[in-house]
Amino acid sequence: MINAMVSIKRERELDLEDDDEVPVKIGRSSEDRRSRHCPYLDTINRSVLDFDFEKLCSISLSHINVYACLICGKYFQGRGLKSHAYTHSVQFTHHVFLNLHTLKFYCLPDNYEIIDSSPPGDIMFLLVQRFGELMRKLWNPRNFKAHVSPHEMLQAVVLCSKKNFQITKQGDAVDFLSWFMNALHGALGGTKKKPSSLTKVFQGSMRIFSKKLPHPDLPPEEKEALLLKEEYQEVMSESTFLFLTLDLPTAPLYKDEKEQLIIPQVPLFNILAKFNGNTEKEYKTYKENFLKRFQLLKLPPYLIFCIKRFTKNNFFVEKNPTIVNFPITNVDLREYLTEEAQVTEKNTTYDLVANVVHDGKPTEGAYRIHVLHHGTGKWYELQDLQVTDILPQMITLSEAYIQIWKRRESEDDDNHTGA
């Protein structure tokens, strides 16, 4: 009888520990932030979960205040400092638990409630979880493995993209980048007006000046009359961007005296002139033609360039092999900003940190990437599982497709690029 009373008293103490005993004291704002952005949700293993078992603690066999570990599927009592669930969390680094009575989720040993911020049934949030898991594995300083497999991340891409991007079939890097960034932005709660952690890093803004053009087959007199109408006057609008598309000059069709196609070269600043506010380019739609010019309003911390190498028509995909000559460091974009933006934007100098290259034919080519290692200032070339050193001078000779530039924190920062 006495032992039973002691057992009941102990169970009540364990029950009270859940409400009264919090191992880590944190502020309300910090607790709310962690509750809605728990970093361990992707560790849940659904394949081992079975809630048809009797709700008993696997150690004390008590049915009071039982929690299910969502990583291994076992049941434990309490979540206070001396509880079995707390001990299990510390010993096996299992962090996500479900209260089988209240159906609330908790993270141990930090002991805060997990509030799911994703909409019910939102499969796109799986992409965020898998991507976060991959990044933590990749940058874990205590990871004893020499490599990290991205197969779970790739499976999430196949599922969330509805098989538009597949593991067994090579896709277009720019198409994937555009879909991936917009998918992450939406899954993180971002909208056109509401920013996300992704847009804070990559999103800039620009002004677009657009003017409708008369049909080219009309007589000159009729064209002049139409240009006076309000419909054909220039209109200014503002738009955000996650990357800038740079247009290459048309590749030559004729061969040189050695019967070889001439591979032209163009400086980066020539194709960046698209955004100086003066360069006009004609854009054709199904029914109408427009003349547009662009000027930058805001520069993001990380700026992405997508060099338009592929042109699609009704029959085939054509690749432009033009080589873009670009410096590795010290690219100043101040002249492409509006006058008011030049006053507000303090740092406008960028250094290259990654360069994605496409080699070969449009449908049969392969990708490789050049990445800067910030710690040593050295450049490395990655292709599949092969990693080799590369000189910065060799990077500019490649058919660059996607480039990522990092803005300098100050004009005196050289970022140790090794150039």
Side-chain angles (χ1 to χ4, degrees):
M1 184 68 179
I2 296 177
N3 292 337
M5 293 179 62
V6 172
S7 177
I8 294 174
K9 181 181 179 182
R10 176 54 185 159
E11 290 174 355
R12 289 178 178 175
E13 288 176 353
L14 285 171
D15 193 20
L16 290 174
E17 283 180 356
D18 287 352
D19 300 325
D20 301 335
E21 194 169 11
V22 180
V24 180
K25 294 184 178 179
I26 54 178
R28 180 178 296 273
S29 60
S30 176
E31 184 175 4
D32 292 343
R33 180 179 60 81
R34 294 198 305 175
S35 295
R36 295 189 178 275
H37 300 85
C38 180
Y40 303 109
L41 291 180
D42 52 13
T43 62
I44 297 175
N45 187 0
R46 297 186 180 185
S47 62
V48 301
L49 301 182
D50 188 350
F51 299 107
D52 293 331
F53 291 116
E54 187 178 1
K55 309 303 186 289
L56 294 175
C57 174
S58 59
I59 297 177
S60 66
L61 302 181
S62 170
H63 65 278
I64 297 177
N65 200 27
V66 179
Y67 288 77
C69 175
L70 300 186
I71 288 79
C72 65
K74 296 180 179 179
Y75 295 168
F76 300 96
Q77 186 180 32
R79 72 172 195 276
L81 280 173
K82 301 177 182 179
S83 66
H84 300 303
Y86 182 91
T87 304
H88 175 77
S89 173
V90 173
Q91 184 176 0
F92 295 96
T93 64
H94 293 176
H95 299 285
V96 186
F97 290 79
L98 171 65
N99 187 309
L100 297 176
H101 176 66
T102 63
L103 301 182
K104 292 183 178 181
F105 296 87
Y106 294 90
C107 180
L108 299 180
D110 293 339
N111 204 357
Y112 60 82
E113 183 182 353
I114 299 174
I115 303 173
D116 190 2
S117 59
S118 61
D122 186 5
I123 196 173
M124 298 304 292
F125 196 73
L126 175 66
L127 190 67
V128 179
Q129 294 177 345
R130 292 292 176 255
F131 181 65
E133 180 183 25
L134 178 61
M135 291 298 102
R136 288 198 299 275
K137 289 180 179 178
L138 188 64
W139 294 104
N140 185 1
R142 296 181 295 275
N143 192 358
F144 63 92
K145 295 181 180 179
H147 66 278
V148 175
S149 176
H151 70 278
E152 291 183 343
M153 167 66 186
L154 295 177
Q155 289 173 353
V157 168
V158 175
L159 181 63
C160 296
S161 68
K162 298 180 180 179
K163 298 185 179 180
N164 287 331
F165 301 100
Q166 300 186 30
I167 300 176
T168 57
K169 183 179 179 181
Q170 179 172 287
D172 185 88
V174 173
D175 291 345
F176 173 74
L177 176 67
S178 178
W179 171 84
F180 186 64
M181 297 184 73
N182 283 283
L184 285 182
H185 171 63
L188 290 169
T191 61
K192 289 185 177 180
K193 296 182 179 180
K194 182 181 177 182
S196 66
S197 56
L198 184 139
T199 56
K200 292 176 182 178
V201 176
F202 293 105
Q203 183 173 277
S205 60
M206 69 170 74
R207 281 180 181 170
I208 303 175
F209 301 87
S210 180
K211 182 168 59 176
K212 185 179 178 181
L213 296 177
H215 196 277
D217 296 335
L218 293 176
E221 298 82 7
E222 194 171 341
K223 286 183 181 180
E224 293 179 2
L226 288 174
L227 289 174
L228 297 176
K229 294 184 178 181
E230 183 178 356
E231 181 184 356
Y232 289 85
Q233 302 305 309
E234 187 175 68
V235 178
M236 185 194 74
S237 61
E238 295 185 2
S239 176
T240 57
F241 64 85
L242 290 176
F243 57 84
L244 296 176
T245 302
L246 305 182
D247 302 316
L248 292 173
T250 305
L253 300 176
Y254 303 102
K255 297 181 179 181
D256 60 8
E257 56 270 5
K258 296 182 180 180
E259 293 298 317
Q260 294 180 347
L261 282 174
I262 303 172
I263 300 179
Q265 300 185 21
V266 60
L268 175 65
F269 294 100
N270 284 21
I271 57 178
L272 275 174
K274 172 183 178 180
F275 301 99
N276 61 11
N278 299 319
T279 303
E280 294 180 325
K281 183 178 179 181
E282 186 175 347
Y283 290 84
K284 298 181 180 180
T285 62
Y286 180 71
K287 294 182 178 180
E288 300 174 322
N289 295 348
F290 291 89
L291 200 64
K292 295 185 179 182
R293 54 192 180 95
F294 308 89
Q295 196 168 21
L296 302 181
L297 275 175
K298 180 184 177 182
L299 294 171
Y302 285 84
L303 183 61
I304 301 177
F305 291 156
C306 293
I307 301 172
K308 190 175 181 181
R309 292 199 173 273
F310 301 100
T311 305
K312 299 179 181 179
N313 54 37
N314 296 330
F315 304 100
F316 56 88
V317 178
E318 186 179 5
K319 180 182 177 182
N320 190 328
T322 301
I323 301 296
V324 179
N325 296 322
F326 55 90
I328 300 294
T329 61
N330 200 30
V331 173
D332 193 353
L333 302 180
R334 183 171 296 277
E335 63 179 291
Y336 306 104
L337 291 167
T338 61
E339 293 183 359
E340 56 268 31
Q342 291 183 13
V343 177
T344 57
E345 292 279 348
K346 296 181 179 179
N347 301 325
T348 58
T349 304
Y350 285 79
D351 298 311
L352 187 69
V353 294
N355 182 55
V356 180
V357 179
H358 183 274
D359 297 316
K361 298 180 180 180
T363 56
E364 302 174 1
Y367 288 99
R368 54 194 172 98
I369 182 173
H370 303 131
V371 179
L372 172 67
H373 186 271
H374 284 278
T376 59
K378 293 183 178 180
W379 282 90
Y380 293 90
E381 181 177 279
L382 288 72
Q383 187 170 19
D384 296 330
L385 297 178
Q386 299 179 355
V387 180
T388 57
D389 298 352
I390 186 172
L391 295 174
Q393 295 85 347
M394 300 299 295
I395 298 174
T396 60
L397 303 177
S398 60
E399 297 180 18
Y401 191 30
I402 301 174
Q403 294 183 332
I404 302 179
W405 298 77
K406 180 183 178 182
R407 184 171 59 189
R408 293 185 178 181
E409 297 297 330
S410 64
E411 296 299 333
D412 298 329
D413 182 18
D414 61 2
N415 276 328
H416 307 289
T417 54

